[in-house]
Amino acid sequence: MSIILDGKAVAETIKDTVRKEVETTGLNPGLAVVIVGENPASRIYVNSKKKDCAECGIRSEEFALTADAGEEKLLAVINELNNRPDIHGILVQLPLPKGYSEQKVIQAIAPEKDVDAFHLMNVGRIMVGDYAFLPCTPAGVMALLDHYGIDPQGKHCVVVGRSDIVGKPQAMMLLHRHATVTICHSRTPDLGAITRQADILVAAVGKVNLITADMVKPGAVVVDVAMNRDENGKLCGDVDFPGVEPVASYITPVPGGVGPMTRAMLLCNTLASAKAAIDLRA
Ligand code: NAP
């Protein structure tokens, strides 16, 4: 039997802290959420981000553009938001429709308002460990480990997946916390031989049942970042939860693990940005 890393509950305590800090400091953090086109998944994500903000006393403003608005119009909106002192965080919901360069759009966001931490300036700052923001998903994983007193120092952490938004920053954050880190990806032969060495295993791939019990060292901490749908349309991760749960010491559920932590981290980043803006003016 393992201990469930209850991201839903931990995220609620983080949201409470954010709410209290907004109340007591009198800060008035503002998040701009930019959505382009009619992607139904993006609409769900944007609505939940706005709801989270409302629950914590963070102002959110939505900027909805039609898919055919064009890159120039989108860049003009971002430019306007960059110059608004009452907006502390700018989030452009990805993916963008065809015809938009995501890189160009992300690089147009002022780095000090880039609460997703996707701007190259922020990516670089994470590399050297001197950052203003951390990307929400890997930061959420770190906050969850911290909450349960799981210290990566000296541990062998295996991260499966090397995307720019999850796998790579996750590996870097674990490295900054003095873990020995191995990154695996689609060209890694004999994945199980490596995952079996992990004291802390982070799966961030997007493949149902990729990680089975025989690939996990007994007593390992297993963090499942993925959000997949199984053959019945049910939300699930990369980890075969019923098989792995008895082998692991700690494990995240899907849903209710990393997902709520990701959402909570966006609120923390927006609050941090509002605080930094005050400090700059002081
Ligand atoms: P991604 O950009 O598609 O990256 C997937 C990574 O998995 C790639 O590095 C790929 O390797 C690797 N991979 C693919 N097949 C593999 C295999 N058989 N063995 C080992 N590695 C393999 O995905 P992402 O954006 O990082 O997201 C990963 C998962 O996390 C998805 O399920 C996504 O929905 C989920 N997610 C969840 C949250 C959350 O809040 N919980 C946030 C973001 C993402 P190559 O680089 O070699 O192609």
Side-chain angles (χ1 to χ4, degrees):
M1 277 292 275
S2 56
I3 295 171
I4 301 296
L5 296 168
D6 188 347
K8 195 161 177 248
V10 178
E12 283 307 317
T13 65
I14 292 171
K15 280 165 74 179
D16 266 348
T17 309
V18 170
R19 188 183 307 119
K20 282 184 193 131
E21 199 163 343
V22 170
E23 271 169 25
T24 54
T25 56
L27 284 168
N28 186 12
L31 175 70
V33 185
V34 183
I35 178 168
V36 185
E38 299 294 331
N39 181 329
S42 292
R43 170 46 61 198
I44 292 170
Y45 288 134
V46 164
N47 286 352
S48 43
K49 285 167 185 170
K50 284 163 56 186
K51 182 169 161 278
D52 290 340
C53 284
E55 284 172 11
C56 293
I58 293 178
R59 281 178 297 108
S60 69
E61 281 185 43
E62 179 181 315
F63 297 82
L65 275 66
T66 55
D68 62 1
E71 199 170 87
E72 221 167 282
K73 169 75 183 155
L74 175 56
L75 293 173
V77 169
I78 292 171
N79 188 42
E80 198 178 304
L81 294 169
N82 282 343
N83 290 314
R84 272 182 55 181
D86 62 328
I87 291 293
H88 306 100
I90 303 170
L91 181 152
V92 177
Q93 186 64 48
L94 301 177
L96 290 171
K98 276 205 182 88
Y100 292 81
S101 159
E102 290 189 350
Q103 264 313 314
K104 195 168 170 190
V105 168
I106 289 166
Q107 301 319 315
I109 299 171
E112 67 276 14
K113 297 190 179 188
D114 169 40
V115 283
D116 265 335
F118 293 164
H119 190 286
L120 290 178
M121 175 80 84
N122 289 320
V123 173
R125 290 186 65 179
I126 292 163
M127 284 289 287
V128 294
D130 169 29
Y131 44 79
F133 306 116
L134 290 170
C136 297
T137 298
V141 171
M142 300 308 288
L144 194 55
L145 294 177
D146 284 343
H147 181 89
Y148 283 87
I150 299 165
D151 183 0
Q153 175 163 313
K155 307 262 168 54
H156 186 185
C157 298
V158 174
V159 179
V160 190
R162 59 172 166 179
S163 72
D164 292 336
I165 62 166
V166 187
K168 282 183 203 158
Q170 186 73 76
M172 203 48 61
M173 286 179 215
L174 289 163
L175 186 63
H176 287 316
R177 295 285 297 276
H178 311 298
T180 302
V181 183
T182 303
I183 308 176
C184 302
H185 46 79
S186 67
R187 320 282 170 93
T188 302
D190 197 357
L191 183 63
I194 297 171
T195 58
R196 271 191 292 278
Q197 298 172 32
D199 302 308
I200 299 177
L201 175 61
V202 181
V205 172
K207 283 200 162 56
V208 179
N209 288 339
L210 178 74
I211 307 293
T212 48
D214 59 309
M215 297 167 76
V216 176
K217 178 163 84 175
V221 175
V222 178
V223 177
D224 195 348
V225 173
M227 288 199 297
N228 310 312
R229 297 273 167 193
D230 69 11
E231 70 274 14
N232 302 314
K234 203 170 145 241
L235 199 59
C236 64
D238 288 340
V239 176
D240 167 27
F241 187 91
V244 171
E245 189 270 335
V247 179
S249 56
Y250 294 83
I251 188 167
T252 55
V254 179
V258 177
M261 293 298 295
T262 298
R263 285 167 59 176
M265 291 301 111
L266 176 64
L267 303 170
C268 293
N269 281 352
T270 306
L271 177 61
S273 181
K275 275 195 221 164
I278 296 281
D279 291 347
L280 276 178
R281 269 181 260 150

